[in-house]
């Protein structure tokens, strides 16, 4: 009887060992699958970011380079203008106005009416002209107010000069 109990215990231990090995193999496969899923999400996210950056860029002057950085580990997102390899998110008022307007243009639905009114009056004449050119194909009405006239004034904009009273 003692030998039978020992044999029974041995079989139970062997079965437990086999289940442990199976579970360790399942855990290893699950970790590999999770890693592959994270890599797939990263690739998809990077592709979507590049597409979004290109869309926003189409509403900015050529001198500006829009950038978006998503940190999946920290669940954070930063956007701004690139200066070389550096993403600058602390923008001046005029930079902020044109970036936010470009994002608005890039994210506006095709149906419906859109009016963009960036709140910034401190554009210099050259930058104002470039911004107006870049927003020439905006998906809605753009109203800019400024203390200066654009240089040169774009052809497809109606300029109302209130200083000529």
């Amino acid at each position: 009887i003692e030998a039978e109990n020992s044999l029974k215990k041995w079989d139970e231990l062997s079965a437990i060992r086999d289940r442990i090995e199976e579970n360790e193999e399942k855990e290893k496969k699950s970790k590999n699958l999770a890693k592959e899923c994270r890599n797939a999400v990263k690739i998809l996210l990077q592709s979507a970011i590049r597409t979004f950056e290109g869309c926003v860029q189409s509403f900015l002057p050529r001198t500006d380079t829009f950038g978006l950085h998503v940190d999946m580990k920290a669940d954070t997102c930063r956007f701004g203008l690139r200066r070389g390899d550096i993403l600058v998110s602390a923008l001046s008022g005029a930079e902020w106005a044109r970036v936010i307007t470009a994002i608005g243009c890039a994210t506006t639905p095709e149906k419906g009416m859109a009016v963009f009114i960036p709140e910034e009056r401190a554009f210099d004449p050259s930058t104002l002209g470039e911004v107006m050119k870049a927003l020439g194909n905006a998906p809605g009405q753009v109203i800019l107010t400024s203390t200066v006239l654009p240089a040169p004034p774009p052809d497809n904009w109606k300029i109302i000069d209130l200083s000529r009273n």
Side-chain angles (χ1 to χ4, degrees):
I1 294 185
E2 195 173 308
E4 285 178 22
N5 283 341
S6 293
L7 187 58
K8 188 176 179 181
K9 297 274 186 206
W10 181 256
D11 288 342
E12 288 174 8
L13 287 173
S14 292
I16 291 171
R17 186 185 66 231
D18 290 344
R19 282 197 309 262
I20 289 171
E21 288 174 1
E22 286 174 21
N23 287 336
E24 286 174 344
E25 186 62 29
K26 285 180 183 178
E27 178 187 18
K28 184 179 177 183
K29 286 180 181 179
S30 294
K31 285 182 178 180
N32 285 337
L33 179 60
K35 182 178 178 183
E36 289 176 25
C37 288
R38 278 191 303 275
N39 287 338
V41 167
K42 184 177 178 181
I43 290 168
L44 290 170
L45 181 61
Q46 288 171 340
S47 175
I49 288 170
R50 282 192 301 275
T51 299
F52 182 70
E53 285 177 333
C55 190
V56 172
Q57 187 64 48
S58 71
F59 297 104
L60 286 170
R62 286 175 273 132
T63 55
D64 291 337
T65 303
F66 177 75
L68 173 66
H69 178 263
V70 175
D71 185 339
M72 290 176 36
K73 291 179 184 173
D75 285 335
T76 60
C77 171
R78 286 182 2 153
F79 64 90
L81 296 175
R82 294 198 185 279
R83 306 256 192 319
D85 292 338
I86 298 171
L87 178 62
V88 177
S89 57
L91 304 175
S92 73
E95 290 169 330
W96 182 254
R98 60 187 186 256
V99 166
I100 290 298
T101 303
I103 290 172
C105 290
T107 57
T108 297
E110 291 181 23
K111 293 184 178 184
M113 184 176 79
V115 179
F116 304 96
I117 309 172
E119 286 293 323
E120 178 59 38
R121 290 173 182 81
F123 283 107
D124 65 85
S126 176
T127 302
L128 180 59
E130 290 298 315
V131 168
M132 291 171 77
K133 271 193 250 175
L135 292 172
N137 293 322
Q141 177 68 47
V142 180
I143 301 171
L144 293 168
T145 56
S146 177
T147 58
V148 297
L149 292 173
D155 294 333
N156 57 341
W157 281 75
K158 178 166 179 81
I159 297 175
I160 300 169
D161 185 356
L162 297 178
S163 67
R164 296 185 190 176
N165 286 337

